[in-house]
């Protein structure tokens, strides 16, 4: 990486510009190491996090876990996986709640909190920065 590029990234991160944190840590979708699922497609992950699918492809129940509202990780995840901005996600869940068609995923405060909750529940799925991954969870998709 060129010094000028590195300096620009560091400056963007220091100023809190959107996307600065996303470049620093690749997002991955994880399940418990005790879950038999080894890979998921982006459309399958989107369906789970949008409340359209209530089960993993093998038929086991799934519980989606979200990052905190307005975090760079959450914004990047929904933009890349579901092609939706934060405003579109708010409108989506407002309509689903109002019509009785579902509730949004439970929010957790950080990638570490998501990893711990997923590791403790074989039916859970979440997304975290790759740096937060350890042997207690399995990466089933890289967010691109």
């Amino acid at each position: 990486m060129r010094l000028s590029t590195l300096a620009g990234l560091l400056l963007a991160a220091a100023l809190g510009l959107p996307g600065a944190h996303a470049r620093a840590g690749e997002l991955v979708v994880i399940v418990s190491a005790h879950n038999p699922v080894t890979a998921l497609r982006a459309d399958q992950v989107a369906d789970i996090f949008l409340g359209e699918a209530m089960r993993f492809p093998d038929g086991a129940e799934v519980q989606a876990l979200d990052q905190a509202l307005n975090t760079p990780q959450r914004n990047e995840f929904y933009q890349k996986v579901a092609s939706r901005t934060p405003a579109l996600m708010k409108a989506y869940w407002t309509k689903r709640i109002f019509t009785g068609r579902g509730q949004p995923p439970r929010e957790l405060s950080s990638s570490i909190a998501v990893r711990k909750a997923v590791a403790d529940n074989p039916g859970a799925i979440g997304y975290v920065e790759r740096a937060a991954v350890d042997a207690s969870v399995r990466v089933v998709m890289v967010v691109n």
Side-chain angles (χ1 to χ4, degrees):
M1 179 178 291
R2 297 182 60 199
L3 185 56
S4 61
T5 304
L6 179 58
L9 287 174
L10 291 173
L11 178 60
L15 294 174
L17 297 177
H21 300 287
R23 286 187 214 112
E26 178 180 51
L27 288 180
V28 294
V29 178
I30 58 168
V31 297
S32 169
H34 301 291
N35 186 315
V37 174
T38 58
L40 291 170
R41 297 183 318 265
D43 64 314
Q44 293 172 312
V45 171
D47 285 349
I48 290 169
F49 279 87
L50 294 173
E52 298 290 334
M54 306 310 280
R55 298 187 178 279
F56 283 111
D58 69 357
E61 285 190 32
V62 65
Q63 177 190 14
L65 300 174
D66 243 337
Q67 296 273 349
L69 190 61
N70 294 323
T71 59
Q73 296 85 358
R74 181 169 170 158
N75 294 347
E76 178 184 1
F77 174 78
Y78 283 104
Q79 183 64 51
K80 290 184 175 179
V81 173
S83 300
R84 296 176 190 229
T85 64
L88 287 174
M89 286 306 302
K90 182 176 181 179
Y92 176 83
W93 282 112
T94 298
K95 181 178 179 181
R96 288 195 54 103
I97 292 166
F98 181 75
T99 59
R101 294 186 52 216
Q103 293 291 319
R106 186 176 72 157
E107 291 180 22
L108 297 172
S109 62
S110 67
S111 286
I112 301 301
V114 170
R115 185 201 67 222
K116 287 178 181 177
V118 168
D120 291 342
N121 180 354
I125 186 170
Y127 54 93
V128 299
E129 294 164 317
R130 187 178 287 279
V133 173
D134 66 12
S136 67
V137 295
R138 175 183 305 114
V139 173
V140 292
M141 190 189 99
V142 175
V143 176
N144 291 319

